[in-house]
Amino acid sequence: MLTIEDIREARACIAGTLSATPILTEPNFSSTLAQRVLLKCELFQNTGSFKPRGGLNWIGTASDAELRRGLGAVSAGNHALGLAWAAQSAGVDVTIVMPEGASEFKVQGSRELGAEVILHGDINDAWALMHRLVEERGLTLVHPYDDLRIIAGQGTVGLEILEQAPEAATIVCPVGGGGLLAGIGVAARALRPDIRIIGVEPEGAASMQAAWAHQGPYRLNSVETHAKSLGAAIVGEHTYALCRHHVDALVTVSEAGILQATQHLLTQTKLFAEPGAAVGIAALLENRLPDPLPAGDIVVVITGGNMGLDELTTLLLC
């Protein structure tokens, strides 16, 4: 299992390339709640999300044999961007399979970073094709979330939160496949055993909640959500085990809540966040967080801001 030392080593691996992202006060909620709400702004990270942390740690710890074969991955978009950027800096070829409904902004961005991007079916179809490509081309699979090196890199977010927000009592984190939540859970629980850790999923893509209910990863037949970056149909063996051990609660939010939260971040907080990054705010708007929360700051992770103008227009018209 992953340890705090693994996350510290990941931080040392990426520190020369990636900088810490800021934590900002969310003034609207902080003025109406009895607690201060802080936003961990991962949308300001290189490539626009937290994903380069894991990608860079994976590249930095990979063997020559793993890199020589070229890399393969499945992604709704942010892992593609983060891995393509990390691979480009190392001169490594990468092939990404994305669902056909993936963001054109993320598809084009990944191609501009040198990745071969293949659009294929839904997320389950994309995984089936990638497994075939791994066999046919001999690619090294870099799982978007169920890889301990990836999780360790994402866990560096947790280290930063505890340093930047020493009064943090609750961390609220979006959940797709669970890599970020798992990494934050390991880091935060090791350094602050009393802290409350809450994962937030869209109602139409609640794959971690399904795993908890079935006592192991459980594949959803389909995912339906505006929060495409959280559209994992199944969580990983590692992410399930780590989240089950370290996370206090999971909650879900509605599609209407996700749209409202995205618009809130755009217009009230002035953050260009994508829908998947807004689910923690949706949980506050819809009063979904467990009550009562411990006294202290609530830190909401804003995971990314990769959204094209066409997507923005659609959101504003909803």
Side-chain angles (χ1 to χ4, degrees), residues 152-204:
Q154 321 305 29
T156 60
V157 175
L159 296 181
E160 291 177 19
I161 288 173
L162 297 184
E163 291 170 356
Q164 296 169 319
E167 301 302 317
T170 303
I171 298 175
V172 180
C173 179
V175 186
L180 178 61
L181 182 63
I184 288 176
V186 171
R189 193 65 71 205
L191 299 175
R192 282 278 309 280
D194 60 325
I195 203 163
R196 186 77 62 87
I197 303 170
I198 300 169
V200 185
E201 296 181 288
E203 289 177 346

Side-chain angles (χ1 to χ4, degrees), residues 137-169:
R137 300 186 185 181
L139 301 174
T140 299
L141 179 65
V142 183
H143 201 285
Y145 49 85
D146 202 34
D147 182 296
L148 293 178
R149 288 175 284 182
I150 293 288
I151 298 170
Q154 321 305 29
T156 60
V157 175
L159 296 181
E160 291 177 19
I161 288 173
L162 297 184
E163 291 170 356
Q164 296 169 319
E167 301 302 317

Side-chain angles (χ1 to χ4, degrees), residues 69-300:
R69 295 195 296 269
L71 309 180
V74 173
S75 175
N78 284 335
H79 176 60
L81 288 165
L83 184 63
W85 171 79
Q88 183 187 56
S89 65
V92 178
D93 294 333
V94 59
T95 301
I96 309 287
V97 181
M98 294 188 190
E100 290 178 353
S103 160
E104 182 63 23
F105 180 85
K106 295 175 181 177
V107 171
Q108 288 303 117
S110 300
R111 285 174 173 158
E112 288 170 6
L113 287 167
E116 176 189 358
V117 177
I118 302 170
L119 301 177
H120 183 71
D122 63 13
I123 192 65
N124 289 321
D125 297 329
W127 270 108
L129 176 57
M130 176 48 63
H131 287 310
R132 291 200 300 273
L133 292 176
V134 167
E135 290 184 7
E136 293 169 2
R137 300 186 185 181
L139 301 174
T140 299
L141 179 65
V142 183
H143 201 285
Y145 49 85
D146 202 34
D147 182 296
L148 293 178
R149 288 175 284 182
I150 293 288
I151 298 170
Q154 321 305 29
T156 60
V157 175
L159 296 181
E160 291 177 19
I161 288 173
L162 297 184
E163 291 170 356
Q164 296 169 319
E167 301 302 317
T170 303
I171 298 175
V172 180
C173 179
V175 186
L180 178 61
L181 182 63
I184 288 176
V186 171
R189 193 65 71 205
L191 299 175
R192 282 278 309 280
D194 60 325
I195 203 163
R196 186 77 62 87
I197 303 170
I198 300 169
V200 185
E201 296 181 288
E203 289 177 346
S207 52
M208 186 62 77
Q209 195 166 86
W212 283 26
H214 291 85
Q215 299 184 341
Y218 180 84
R219 184 175 296 279
L220 303 177
N221 290 327
S222 62
V223 294
E224 294 290 338
T225 180
H226 287 96
K228 293 181 180 180
S229 62
L230 305 182
I234 185 170
V235 301
E237 294 287 348
H238 294 306
T239 58
Y240 163 73
L242 291 167
C243 289
R244 201 72 185 93
H245 186 65
H246 295 295
V247 174
D248 295 291
L250 293 173
V251 300
T252 59
V253 292
S254 71
E255 289 302 297
I258 293 170
L259 292 175
Q260 183 184 1
T262 306
Q263 292 171 356
H264 174 93
L265 287 170
L266 286 167
T267 61
Q268 301 301 312
T269 314
K270 316 305 180 187
L271 290 179
F272 193 84
E274 60 190 282
V279 294
I281 296 299
L284 290 172
L285 289 170
E286 295 190 323
N287 197 28
R288 299 290 180 95
L289 298 184
D291 187 42
L293 292 175
D297 293 337
I298 302 168
V299 179
V300 181

